[in-house]
Amino acid sequence: MAGYTEDELKEDLKQQDYKFGFVSDIESDKIQKGLNEDVIRLISSKKEEPNWLLEYRLKAFQIWKEMTEPNWAHIKYKKPEFQDIAYYSAPKQTKKYESWDDVDPEMKETMKKLGISMEEQKRLTGTAVDFVMDSVSVATSFKDKLNELGIIFCSFSEAVKEHPKLVKKYLGTVVPATDNFYAALNSAVFSDGSFCYIPKGVRCPMELSTYFRINEGGTGQFERTLVIADESSYVSYLEGCTAPQRDENQLHAAIVELIALDEAEIKYSTVQNWYPGDKNGVGGIYNFVTKRGMCHTRSKISWTQVETGSAITWKYPSCVLRGDYSIGEFYSVAVTNNYQQADTGSKMIHLGKGTKSTIISKGISSGKSHNSYRGLVQINKRAKNARNFTQCDSLLMTDTCGAHTFPYIECKNSSAQIEHEATTSKIGEDQLFYCQQRGLSEEKAIGLIVNGYCKEVLDKMPMEFAVEARKLLTLSLENSVG
Amino acid sequence: MLSIKNLHAKIEDKEILKGLNLEVKPGEVHAIMGPNGSGKSTLSSVIAGHEDYEITEGEIIYQGKLINEEAVEDRAREGIFLAFQYPIEIPGVSNINFLRAALNEIRQSKGEKDISAKEFMQRVRDKSKLVDLDQSLASRSVNEGFSGGEKKRNEIFQMAMLEPTLAILDETDSGLDIDALKVVAKGVNALKTKDNSTIVITHYQRLLDYIVPDFVHVLFDGKIVKSGDKSLALELEEKGYDWIKEINVPSL
Amino acid sequence: MNKLQNFRKNFNPTSIPLRKEMLTLSEEILKKNDFPTTKNEKWKYTRLGKLSRLSLEKSKDTSTIKKSSEKISEEAITIEIINGFVNTISDLPKGLIIKSLKDCSKKELAFLGENIHLENEVFHCLNSLYIQDGIYIEIEKDTKLKEEIHIVYNNLSINTFNPTRLYINSKSFSEANIVELFKSDGAENSFVNPVNEAVIHENAKLSITKIQNEEGNNFHIGSDTIYQKKDSFFKCNTITLKGQFIRNNIYVNINGTNCETHLNGAYLMDGKQHVDNQTKIDHFTPNCESHELYKGILDEKATAIFNGKVIVHPDAQKINAFQSNANVLISDDANVNSKPELEIYADDVKCSHGSTTGQLDENAIYYLRSRGISKRKAQAIVSQAFIKDVFSHIDSESSLSYIFKTLEKQHNWEFLD
């Protein structure tokens, strides 16, 4: 019963448009547009990287050049012009931040507008926050407390310098550069991101959180997140994303790699609210992201996502259930409105014995948008007694949108049990009438019904995040009834 | 309170109400009876403001105001409550959040402040006792997985929470056993005041043993063909609806 | 020269006077393409490598050979087709026209290919260009056929390509029940390619039951393209009892309101058999319903694919579409790939699909065994229970008893009811 209040909702309902569309006036260090080996060397040297990482990048670049952009997804868009993107943009900083007080006031203002004032976050929720603006991690809070437990939570660049062994050991092991076109691109040009390591047997006492923000125009954002949960450890990780309103389409091609060693558990929650473009489909972020987790014996990875932003979303957070009795979960709400297009879902690759996976996907389409679920459940030969349950539901708000379901179910073991269910339907008119008869306005009734429809997924989110997600859902669907 | 004059209404080109008249004063209980297909549920939907029904002629005047064109939620905020014949299930939305949202919207429309959490919970406790509604049902999703009896009791519970001026009970007795029926009736009677009115729509006389009406109307073929006191209900029970068909005369 | 061009070199274009445009377009498409690979989404799980490497001859005219194949029923109107050539057609009742394409008028032949896609359909093109014979069936207006039409395709040849064509013209208010039996007595390394087209006019009803019971090491790639007009009814049951390599494509275009469509399928495969069922239902018009039910049992090293697609196009409101695929795997080496897809562009619809993969109910088998039934028989009984609801959609009694007889022979099943 706690959580979202009617007041908050009401306040938000007044705001009609994308509310994170401001541009912060922060000086940035941006290199010229285009991509070639020299640019990669430049990025690497700006970041003072060791040679092995430069080699990794150059190899990835070679692989990328050989690849073609995938076109199997149910999306239509103008392919990005890869030579017209600046591959590095960092807020200009003269010195390293020693403490929160050193952070540029304009930057602090930006965070405040995003609702992630660090002080407040610290005080209220005890969440450690890493803030990544454009491509660079600018502030990480709560470091000391985490240090005591041996937890490493820092920017990716810092991890490369301070913990090169760990980075070298795990980088690219879950998502190799060869995986796909955008993964190869990211591997070549990634600029920063978050790194997290939880030592053996440690239960991370607070939620770790990263906020991603694209601020500069004409840039792409290519961040990289690597989370390693050592044996029997636990971590809950949150990720939030926003970007300013621009007429151009900006490319976001990130990689998230999760590694859950034996008996570890990782919970990864995302609220994605990249700028979706305007009502006529102009501008917006191209969100082409590769997220994958590797599950070792008896470990568990669960992905929870609420996707309301981006002009185009192409992402399939996945689990490779390599260890016996490991568990993979995917809970997703994807909302599309106006001209947004989303092709999203999950892949569950069952390799180990007794592995289990659950996929719950809720798609809501409105306006002239297209929303597709694409999922793969693969039971391999060795995966004895594997179980999967998949449910994907689509809700249609207008007669001009589309909702599509493309599940792939591949089974090579006779002891597997796989269940897949999908439904597509219109928002219930009888439900609307019932709510309205009790005095609720149409907008409010829709908000209520949609939130109820997504409850299974929202319930999986940490409380504070769920509140934000609920508000976003209501906001994204304003004026959407056909 | 409510004054319906020469009401004609249709759904998808099929005329269902064909000149219905009804006058309900504050504090009164009216029972509307009639055979299946006579237009009973249409009448309740039309009063509540269901958009599938089109009023082609006549007027519905509620508290001195013509409400023919008013939106369903506005009517609800002004105190019209419909207990549904088939209460709707809304997965994932808890009964309690639903009610709090509804209650606050109604209060806001009257310029009142939102109810405090404490006061709200107190009211939930008090009112759920009224209909013997298990507290746990209050936190479950709206009507989802409720038994038939629980759904009907939940309707009366909502009515108790929202304190309407005009309550319409649409076949609230259907599908209830006698014990459940008594519980529902007890709830309805407890909510009765000299200022609010109730319209009980039913097919059977037995509910009227527990909710005693001041007036009984017989609806047939979209019109009220006979009105009387509660003895009319008994007469109907005895003679059956065929009797009405026989006495059906153009005007009364 | 790519594999497709190499495959083509032994065949001459058809001598039947089909529509020129269809033939020219087929030739053009074939020239530009090769056999599809697993990169092609429609062929993701079925490899054509073996087929494409075969060096096949065209089959010789068999219409004069007197060879009587096994019949399903003596009472039905029976057509026998051997190696792609029409062999015999039994006497016809009033209101029914059945003839070899060789005997068709130009007007009748002009119907062929009207609704069939050639682009991206190499096997439609091969069929159109190289058929040597086929059948035209017309059920005249208001004719409600009491007798079933049975078409027995028998493939006897070795190393040949046997394309056949069937055109069904279901005129308004007509009703027909067609059974197709596919056999291959003694054939080896042959490729049968039956392409069916049907137009179901207003208020007409058409049911097709396909029984595939093909011996030997042969390839079967077939397709049905159905065009439904308003108020029409179509049902297709595809029962695959045996076949080394079977691919069934069913495309249904629903172009009128108030239509009903049922696609059902059952497959019982073992050995190294491979069956690939592809269905696509396009709802272009409002107020229609479609139902799909495919069930299969896979033993040994068998593989099954189900790819069902339902597309509800813009403005096709009030569509109810249901799709269900259930599989039972008996052996650890059996494979199943299931891909039920929905593409919805209208909002007032009710669509759902489900797919399950699992085992036979162990508790049920245990219970039966505890009553003294052998394990094998118990498995057979539980398998029957699993697959029976597909059989219940078959209206033809004689087909049902043929299916039961075959299953008894092939799997030692005993039918209890």
Side-chain angles (χ1 to χ4, degrees):
Chain A
M1 245 207 76
Y4 105 111
T5 68
E6 316 308 334
D7 279 340
E8 283 174 303
L9 194 68
K10 198 176 69 206
E11 208 38 56
D12 288 319
L13 281 168
K14 286 183 191 150
Q15 283 206 270
Q16 290 292 326
D17 296 313
Y18 187 71
K19 70 168 184 177
F20 304 106
F22 57 88
V23 181
S24 303
D25 185 18
I26 295 169
E27 240 193 298
S28 75
D29 175 11
K30 180 168 144 186
I31 62 175
Q32 90 278 12
K33 288 175 177 178
L35 185 56
N36 52 47
E37 277 201 15
D38 292 339
V39 168
I40 289 167
R41 285 179 200 279
L42 186 62
I43 294 171
S44 192
S45 78
K46 268 186 187 292
K47 306 189 74 64
E48 301 159 20
E49 282 175 357
N51 207 39
W52 65 265
L53 195 53
L54 175 63
E55 289 303 314
Y56 182 85
R57 288 174 181 279
L58 291 172
K59 207 170 140 196
F61 181 62
Q62 289 307 323
I63 293 164
W64 179 73
K65 281 199 296 190
E66 302 290 309
M67 287 175 135
T68 48
E69 211 172 340
N71 56 8
W72 42 260
H74 198 84
I75 49 182
K76 284 194 195 107
Y77 64 102
K78 196 170 153 280
K79 300 253 151 63
E81 186 47 66
F82 291 97
Q83 293 305 337
D84 202 30
I85 294 172
Y87 286 86
Y88 185 80
S89 162
K92 213 169 218 167
Q93 53 183 71
T94 40
K95 61 177 179 117
K96 239 186 121 173
Y97 302 122
E98 293 303 328
S99 77
W100 176 242
D101 299 333
D102 297 341
V103 176
D104 186 343
E106 180 72 22
M107 179 90 70
K108 282 186 185 166
E109 193 52 34
T110 302
M111 292 189 207
K112 211 170 185 177
K113 278 192 213 163
L114 293 170
I116 49 163
S117 142
M118 288 249 175
E119 291 99 326
E120 220 167 293
Q121 286 276 349
K122 276 192 240 178
R123 196 158 40 83
L124 289 178
T125 64
T127 304
V129 179
D130 185 20
F131 184 74
V132 179
M133 174 115 131
D134 288 337
S135 302
V136 172
S137 172
V138 289
T140 307
S141 61
F142 262 108
K143 222 168 225 180
D144 299 342
K145 191 156 182 207
L146 296 172
N147 272 345
E148 279 169 35
L149 292 162
I151 295 171
I152 304 166
F153 179 45
C154 61
S155 75
F156 200 88
S157 322
E158 203 178 325
V160 170
K161 292 201 180 86
E162 309 287 329
H163 312 281
K165 270 193 192 153
L166 276 175
V167 177
K168 203 174 171 182
K169 183 169 175 191
Y170 290 107
L171 179 71
T173 56
V174 188
V175 181
T178 48
D179 194 82
N180 66 67
F181 184 81
Y182 301 110
L185 179 63
N186 176 290
S187 300
V189 303
F190 71 89
S191 29
D192 208 341
S194 292
F195 175 86
C196 170
Y197 172 79
I198 314 290
K200 258 183 211 175
V202 170
R203 214 185 142 77
C204 185
M206 62 188 74
E207 253 120 31
L208 302 183
S209 147
T210 303
Y211 268 83
F212 293 110
R213 166 129 186 115
I214 299 177
N215 196 46
E216 271 295 310
T219 59
Q221 177 149 326
F222 306 93
E223 83 273 351
R224 188 126 194 157
T225 303
L226 180 57
V227 178
I228 303 147
D230 211 329
E231 290 171 21
S232 307
S233 67
Y234 166 83
V235 63
S236 167
Y237 200 97
L238 319 176
E239 178 197 84
C241 327
T242 58
Q245 239 163 302
R246 292 186 192 286
D247 290 345
E248 61 181 350
N249 292 113
Q250 280 180 287
L251 178 63
H252 174 247
I255 292 183
V256 176
E257 291 180 282
L258 308 184
I259 294 129
L261 295 174
D262 293 359
E263 297 183 24
E265 181 178 347
I266 302 175
K267 232 177 125 149
Y268 196 101
S269 314
T270 306
V271 171
Q272 186 266 106
N273 186 25
W274 295 119
Y275 178 56
D278 69 7
K279 285 190 175 61
N280 302 312
V282 176
I285 303 293
Y286 287 172
N287 193 31
F288 299 146
V289 173
T290 308
K291 291 182 164 184
R292 194 173 305 152
M294 178 70 74
C295 287
H296 291 258
T297 306
R298 290 185 198 277
S299 68
K300 178 177 173 181
I301 288 180
S302 61
W303 298 101
T304 308
Q305 59 173 34
V306 172
E307 304 270 323
T308 59
S310 298
I312 294 172
T313 301
W314 179 98
K315 81 178 225 194
Y316 315 91
S318 310
C319 295
V320 180
L321 302 168
R322 187 167 91 172
D324 292 348
Y325 306 102
S326 57
I327 297 173
E329 294 176 339
F330 173 76
Y331 299 95
S332 168
V333 171
V335 182
T336 54
N337 200 348
N338 299 323
Y339 284 88
Q340 280 176 274
Q341 302 177 65
D343 195 291
T344 181
S346 181
K347 291 194 250 181
M348 293 291 173
I349 313 291
H350 290 254
L351 299 171
K353 275 189 293 211
T355 45
K356 271 190 201 154
S357 64
T358 306
I359 296 175
I360 308 283
S361 163
K362 306 272 181 180
I364 302 162
S365 335
S366 184
K368 295 191 161 73
S369 69
H370 284 273
N371 201 331
S372 305
Y373 166 82
R374 185 182 303 277
L376 168 69
V377 174
Q378 189 181 67
I379 312 285
N380 287 279
K381 216 163 170 56
R382 209 178 69 79
K384 227 176 157 45
N385 296 317
R387 299 279 177 274
N388 163 266
F389 176 75
T390 301
Q391 189 184 333
C392 35
D393 297 324
S394 306
L395 197 60
L396 295 151
M397 313 287 283
T398 58
D399 61 0
T400 45
C401 62
H404 319 299
T405 319
F406 306 104
Y408 295 69
I409 301 151
E410 304 177 1
C411 181
K412 291 186 165 58
N413 187 297
S414 68
S415 61
Q417 270 181 20
I418 311 168
E419 264 179 81
H420 170 99
E421 286 172 20
T423 61
T424 304
S425 55
K426 197 181 169 176
I427 187 161
E429 267 167 12
D430 49 352
Q431 292 177 343
L432 277 176
F433 176 65
Y434 190 73
C435 291
Q436 285 174 277
Q437 207 294 312
R438 297 298 184 253
L440 297 174
S441 64
E442 190 178 43
E443 296 262 281
K444 188 125 191 184
I446 289 168
L448 206 66
I449 293 166
V450 166
N451 268 301
Y453 170 80
C454 301
K455 189 171 182 289
E456 274 171 285
V457 175
L458 296 173
D459 279 356
K460 296 286 169 185
M461 294 211 135
M463 182 70 87
E464 305 292 324
F465 234 39
V467 174
E468 193 175 326
R470 279 207 175 88
K471 285 193 285 187
L472 263 180
L473 277 184
T474 313
L475 273 175
S476 324
L477 286 170
E478 262 179 30
N479 305 321
S480 61
V481 189
Chain B
M1 170 76 55
L2 180 73
S3 170
I4 298 177
K5 290 175 191 156
N6 189 31
L7 185 65
H8 290 253
K10 65 173 187 180
I11 182 167
E12 286 177 0
D13 293 332
K14 195 176 166 211
E15 188 170 43
I16 309 228
L17 298 182
K18 303 170 181 172
L20 184 139
N21 295 294
L22 184 68
E23 195 71 36
V24 179
K25 295 202 168 59
E28 291 178 350
V29 176
H30 289 246
I32 293 175
M33 302 182 71
N36 290 332
S38 58
K40 299 194 300 289
S41 284
T42 299
L43 176 62
S44 63
S45 297
V46 171
I47 299 174
H50 199 296
E51 282 162 9
D52 285 355
Y53 296 89
E54 192 191 332
I55 297 177
T56 51
E57 209 183 323
E59 32 189 51
I60 306 176
I61 294 163
Y62 173 67
Q63 293 180 327
K65 198 169 88 181
L66 184 70
I67 59 165
N68 282 23
E69 297 298 322
E70 238 176 62
V72 51
E73 63 265 38
D74 291 332
R75 298 186 200 199
R77 290 168 190 172
E78 284 157 14
I80 296 179
F81 179 92
L82 171 63
F84 283 57
Q85 182 179 3
Y86 304 108
I88 309 297
E89 299 185 3
I90 309 177
V93 176
S94 84
N95 226 352
I96 219 129
N97 270 338
F98 171 66
L99 265 175
R100 194 160 65 128
L103 191 59
N104 284 335
E105 291 262 327
I106 293 171
R107 290 169 77 111
Q108 282 161 20
S109 74
K110 295 180 186 155
E112 293 168 16
K113 271 206 318 216
D114 283 0
I115 190 166
S116 76
K118 200 176 147 209
E119 200 189 328
F120 178 74
M121 286 318 291
Q122 188 55 46
R123 199 197 284 207
V124 168
R125 273 193 292 276
D126 294 347
K127 303 294 185 184
S128 55
K129 264 187 223 134
L130 202 64
V131 282
D132 291 347
L133 194 70
D134 192 334
Q135 284 270 334
S136 70
L137 286 184
S139 55
R140 283 187 12 212
S141 289
V142 180
N143 292 321
E144 198 187 30
F146 285 27
S147 71
E150 282 167 347
K151 279 185 186 167
K152 293 297 172 78
R153 273 187 285 157
N154 192 27
E155 291 292 288
I156 305 303
F157 166 61
Q158 291 185 18
M159 174 177 151
M161 289 293 293
L162 302 180
E163 298 177 328
T165 322
L166 173 65
I168 305 157
L169 311 181
D170 188 4
E171 306 249 357
T172 298
D173 54 330
S174 65
L176 291 186
D177 62 30
I178 201 76
D179 291 332
L181 189 71
K182 281 182 190 165
V183 172
V184 165
K186 190 186 92 187
V188 174
N189 289 329
L191 295 170
K192 214 167 106 178
T193 69
K194 65 174 178 35
D195 299 319
N196 63 22
S197 318
T198 311
I199 297 174
V200 182
I201 291 172
T202 183
H203 188 76
Y204 303 106
Q205 185 269 337
R206 61 171 193 168
L207 177 67
L208 305 180
D209 286 344
Y210 302 97
I211 303 173
V212 182
D214 303 307
F215 300 95
V216 174
H217 310 277
V218 181
L219 186 59
F220 180 72
D221 195 24
K223 271 184 289 215
I224 287 176
V225 293
K226 198 168 171 59
S227 298
D229 61 10
K230 64 181 177 184
S231 63
L232 178 59
L234 291 169
E235 202 174 350
L236 266 177
E237 183 84 351
E238 202 180 304
K239 298 185 178 168
Y241 285 110
D242 286 342
W243 166 63
I244 290 301
K245 292 175 194 166
E246 284 158 25
I247 63 156
N248 183 18
V249 282
S251 63
L252 277 167
Chain C
M1 199 195 292
N2 73 28
K3 292 207 178 74
L4 181 60
Q5 310 315 321
N6 191 48
F7 177 89
R8 272 170 9 107
K9 69 179 193 290
N10 290 343
F11 312 115
N12 310 321
T14 182
S15 55
I16 300 167
L18 299 172
R19 278 190 306 125
K20 273 238 164 55
E21 310 88 272
M22 176 170 71
L23 299 178
T24 331
L25 186 58
S26 295
E27 172 71 40
E28 261 173 46
I29 290 168
L30 288 172
K31 232 188 252 169
K32 276 189 293 191
N33 285 284
D34 198 350
F35 284 107
T37 66
T38 53
K39 278 194 186 137
N40 181 326
E41 196 60 30
K42 283 205 245 170
W43 293 90
K44 190 173 163 66
Y45 299 109
T46 294
R47 291 178 183 279
L48 292 170
K50 258 192 207 159
L51 172 67
S52 65
R53 281 193 295 275
L54 292 179
S55 173
L56 300 181
E57 301 290 327
K58 70 176 194 186
S59 62
K60 300 208 174 60
D61 194 340
T62 56
S63 49
T64 50
I65 301 175
K66 286 288 154 241
K67 157 95 174 95
S68 192
S69 305
E70 179 184 16
K71 277 184 189 167
I72 290 179
S73 159
E74 292 299 329
E75 270 120 66
I77 302 152
T78 303
I79 305 150
E80 206 174 345
I81 295 180
I82 294 175
N83 298 350
F85 289 91
V86 179
N87 195 266
T88 52
I89 299 175
S90 59
D91 297 339
L92 301 177
K94 208 173 148 276
L96 178 66
I97 300 167
I98 298 182
K99 44 186 164 181
S100 154
L101 290 185
K102 288 176 183 165
D103 305 325
C104 282
S105 68
K106 216 157 178 153
K107 194 181 146 222
E108 286 159 339
L109 288 177
F111 290 134
L112 269 72
E114 259 185 345
N115 299 306
I116 269 187
H117 273 282
L118 295 171
E119 208 63 61
N120 297 320
E121 293 281 359
V122 164
F123 297 101
H124 282 168
C125 297
L126 282 176
N127 184 287
S128 301
L129 203 54
Y130 301 120
I131 41 167
Q132 304 193 65
D133 203 354
I135 317 165
Y136 175 86
I137 299 181
E138 184 176 315
I139 305 110
E140 289 175 25
K141 191 163 178 282
D142 298 323
T143 305
K144 296 187 170 45
L145 281 181
K146 273 188 236 76
E147 305 91 334
E148 293 167 9
I149 302 171
H150 287 192
I151 307 171
V152 180
Y153 296 87
N154 206 345
N155 176 20
L156 309 169
S157 57
I158 291 168
N159 271 321
T160 63
F161 172 44
N162 305 344
T164 54
R165 192 86 162 212
L166 167 63
Y167 189 93
I168 305 168
N169 196 348
S170 281
K171 289 291 184 72
S172 308
F173 294 93
S174 71
E175 278 182 37
N177 196 346
I178 297 179
V179 177
E180 293 183 278
L181 173 65
F182 295 90
K183 295 168 56 62
S184 50
D185 294 340
E188 273 305 318
N189 275 331
S190 282
F191 170 28
V192 297
N193 175 221
V195 170
N196 296 357
E197 306 173 57
V199 174
I200 310 172
H201 292 267
E202 286 173 25
N203 269 296
K205 269 184 153 184
L206 176 67
S207 294
I208 298 178
T209 296
K210 293 174 188 291
I211 304 171
Q212 301 174 315
N213 188 18
E214 296 168 79
E215 302 283 341
N217 193 21
N218 296 294
F219 297 84
H220 176 134
I221 297 177
S223 88
D224 289 67
T225 305
I226 313 296
Y227 189 94
Q228 277 187 264
K229 296 194 179 175
K230 76 175 202 213
D231 303 317
S232 67
F233 174 98
F234 175 67
K235 175 153 84 177
C236 185
N237 307 307
T238 306
I239 313 297
T240 309
L241 303 171
K242 195 176 227 176
Q244 204 56 31
F245 178 106
I246 291 186
R247 161 80 169 216
N248 300 309
N249 300 315
I250 302 181
Y251 306 123
V252 186
N253 297 308
I254 303 167
N255 278 284
T257 56
N258 196 28
C259 288
E260 200 179 318
T261 309
H262 297 263
L263 302 181
N264 305 302
Y267 38 94
L268 295 109
M269 315 297 281
D270 53 21
K272 282 187 176 173
Q273 297 175 39
H274 179 105
V275 62
D276 183 347
N277 281 302
Q278 304 268 327
T279 68
K280 181 162 163 262
I281 298 180
D282 279 281
H283 283 282
F284 291 103
T285 46
N287 291 302
C288 295
E289 58 180 276
S290 64
H291 300 261
E292 271 184 87
L293 174 67
Y294 275 77
K295 281 186 159 193
I297 301 175
L298 302 162
D299 202 352
E300 297 173 14
K301 292 188 171 170
T303 303
I305 293 111
F306 171 76
N307 184 358
K309 194 169 204 155
V310 175
I311 306 178
V312 178
H313 291 265
D315 302 325
Q317 302 289 8
K318 306 229 185 278
I319 298 294
N320 289 343
F322 306 100
Q323 199 186 40
S324 164
N325 175 226
N327 297 289
V328 162
L329 296 177
I330 306 275
S331 121
D332 266 349
D333 295 315
N335 284 335
V336 63
N337 298 302
S338 174
K339 218 178 126 205
E341 301 175 82
L342 296 172
E343 274 186 52
I344 317 285
Y345 301 89
D347 68 335
D348 193 3
V349 298
K350 271 195 201 119
C351 300
S352 70
H353 66 214
S355 168
T356 59
T357 300
Q359 301 77 47
L360 291 175
D361 183 349
E362 285 300 326
N363 290 330
I365 292 171
Y366 172 75
Y367 182 78
L368 289 169
R369 289 171 72 192
S370 78
R371 297 288 179 268
I373 295 167
S374 75
K375 188 176 172 186
R376 228 194 134 71
K377 197 171 245 173
Q379 274 180 349
I381 292 171
V382 178
S383 301
Q384 268 174 50
F386 168 76
I387 210 139
K388 217 166 65 184
D389 48 339
V390 177
F391 294 154
S392 72
H393 292 278
I394 300 173
D395 304 314
S396 158
E397 286 297 327
S398 56
S399 304
L400 262 181
S401 73
Y402 175 88
I403 291 165
F404 290 166
K405 240 175 32 208
T406 310
L407 288 173
E408 276 168 27
K409 213 161 68 194
Q410 285 174 0
H411 299 280
N412 288 315
W413 281 16
E414 247 174 68
F415 280 84
L416 303 171
D417 53 337

